């Protein structure tokens, strides 16, 4: 049996412990201050042009007709029940409207032509400073209306 011994001066040992402690503190600080989950990767989707917005819809299998409606909105500073519920849908897809409270954004609306043989479905893309911050699919008709997440939806 062999025994390995290491002789280290107190200053060297102190330096090694200090360096290891520093690395641990940096790692913990980074993970605590950057708790983004994998679902939040959608924050960097560029939607500054009509082509980018249509490409986004197409990437999820949705076909939009030729029209695009544009509406400027202000995200409320305080969410009522409707906005709270809407933001829950956004969070399911990796978006969150809370950082945009009180800020102006644009909603782009497209008529979707291939959603479960339903001709009433529209896609809404909420864009702030050229970046997608929210998205939904909805059927505004009174008899079969719905509002659901656009991403990861089963459209078959």
């Amino acid at each position: 049996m062999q025994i390995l011994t290491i002789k280290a001066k107190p200053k060297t040992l102190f330096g090694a412990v200090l360096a290891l402690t520093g690395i641990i503190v940096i790692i913990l600080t980074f993970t605590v201050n950057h708790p983004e989950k994998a679902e939040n990767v959608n924050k960097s989707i560029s939607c500054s042009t009509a082509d980018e917005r249509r490409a986004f819809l197409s990437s999820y299998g949705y076909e939009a007709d030729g029209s695009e409606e544009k509406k400027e909105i202000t995200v409320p500073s305080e969410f009522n029940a409707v906005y709270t519920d809407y933001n829950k849908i956004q969070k399911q897809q990796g978006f969150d409207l809370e950082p945009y409270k009180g800020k102006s954004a644009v909603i782009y609306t497209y008529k979707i032509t291939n959603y479960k043989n339903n001709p009433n479905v529209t896609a809404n893309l909420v864009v702030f400073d050229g970046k997608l911050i929210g998205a939904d699919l909805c059927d505004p008709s009174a008899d079969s209306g719905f509002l659901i997440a656009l991403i990861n939806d089963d459209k078959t």
Side-chain angles (χ1 to χ4, degrees):
M1 181 162 116
Q2 292 183 336
I3 297 176
L4 179 64
T5 60
I6 299 175
K7 289 188 176 183
K9 295 180 182 177
K11 287 183 181 180
T12 306
L13 187 59
F14 179 76
V17 170
L18 187 60
L20 183 61
T21 304
I23 291 170
I24 291 171
V25 167
I26 290 170
I27 290 170
L28 288 175
T29 302
F30 184 80
T31 56
V32 169
N33 290 329
H34 298 86
E36 293 185 5
K37 300 175 186 169
E39 64 192 34
N40 289 331
V41 297
N42 296 327
K43 291 182 178 182
S44 63
I45 298 171
S46 178
C47 281
S48 58
T49 67
D51 288 340
E52 288 177 334
R53 292 186 290 274
R54 288 182 185 281
F56 172 77
L57 291 171
S58 180
S59 72
Y60 286 95
Y62 298 112
E63 297 173 9
D65 72 359
S67 64
E68 172 187 88
E69 292 181 29
K70 176 182 175 181
K71 180 181 178 184
E72 293 191 27
I73 63 155
T74 299
V75 178
S77 296
E78 295 293 325
F79 286 177
N80 61 17
V82 173
Y83 261 91
T84 299
D85 290 344
Y86 185 71
N87 202 37
K88 284 179 188 175
I89 292 170
Q90 299 313 314
K91 287 180 177 182
Q92 291 171 0
Q93 358 179 53
F95 299 113
D96 186 0
L97 296 176
E98 293 206 27
Y100 304 96
K101 285 182 172 181
K103 297 183 179 180
S104 296
V106 179
I107 297 178
Y108 294 95
T109 302
Y110 298 89
K111 186 168 178 89
I112 300 300
T113 60
N114 67 330
Y115 186 86
K116 296 182 181 180
N117 297 319
N118 184 339
N120 298 322
V121 175
T122 60
N124 297 299
L125 304 180
V126 185
V127 178
F128 174 79
D129 199 25
K131 300 291 181 191
L132 188 65
I133 62 169
D136 68 77
L137 287 176
C138 71
D139 177 350
S141 63
D143 57 341
S144 62
F146 62 83
L147 188 137
I148 57 173
L150 184 144
I151 297 174
N152 298 323
D153 178 64
D154 176 23
K155 66 179 184 328
T156 56

